[in-house]
Amino acid sequence: MVVRDSLKEWLEDEGFQAVTAESGAQAIERLTKEPFHLMLLDIKMPGMDGVEVLRRSKEMRPDLPVVMMTAYATVETAVEAMKIGPWTIS
């Protein structure tokens, strides 16, 4: 929550509009209701993990750029996410 809120504040300070989601399910719900230019996504999320959110978001919006980030990545998780198609893993 601290990282999510800090990142939102930093982006808004730079002049970007940012919307956050507290869970993977909430992120998917927001994707069905609002257009976005970019999604920043953490692998570790409550309920639905970021890899599943990535998979579902690519089905809904295949051209939406995604930046996948985490402090908990394994090589296997990174490979799985890359196969789905995020733009960046960090």
Side-chain angles (χ1 to χ4, degrees):
M1 172 166 52
V2 172
V3 173
R4 180 184 65 227
D5 293 340
S6 296
L7 187 54
K8 180 182 190 300
E9 184 177 315
W10 177 77
L11 288 167
E12 290 176 341
D13 287 349
E14 293 298 318
F16 296 97
Q17 182 181 4
V19 176
T20 62
E22 295 180 11
S23 68
Q26 188 180 51
I28 294 298
E29 180 182 336
R30 290 191 180 199
L31 276 176
T32 64
K33 295 179 181 178
E34 301 177 56
F36 293 98
H37 298 284
L38 173 70
M39 181 165 56
L40 304 177
L41 189 58
D42 195 344
I43 289 177
K44 192 169 180 93
M45 299 177 72
M48 182 187 319
D49 72 14
V51 174
E52 182 60 25
V53 174
L54 175 64
R55 183 176 292 111
R56 291 185 187 194
S57 69
K58 287 299 179 181
E59 290 171 1
M60 296 167 45
R61 303 257 324 267
D63 295 330
L64 179 66
V66 176
V67 176
M68 180 73 78
M69 54 192 165
T70 191
Y72 302 99
T74 63
V75 172
E76 293 80 18
T77 305
V79 169
E80 181 179 1
M82 288 295 290
K83 288 179 180 178
I84 298 168
W87 288 51
T88 304
I89 293 183
S90 59

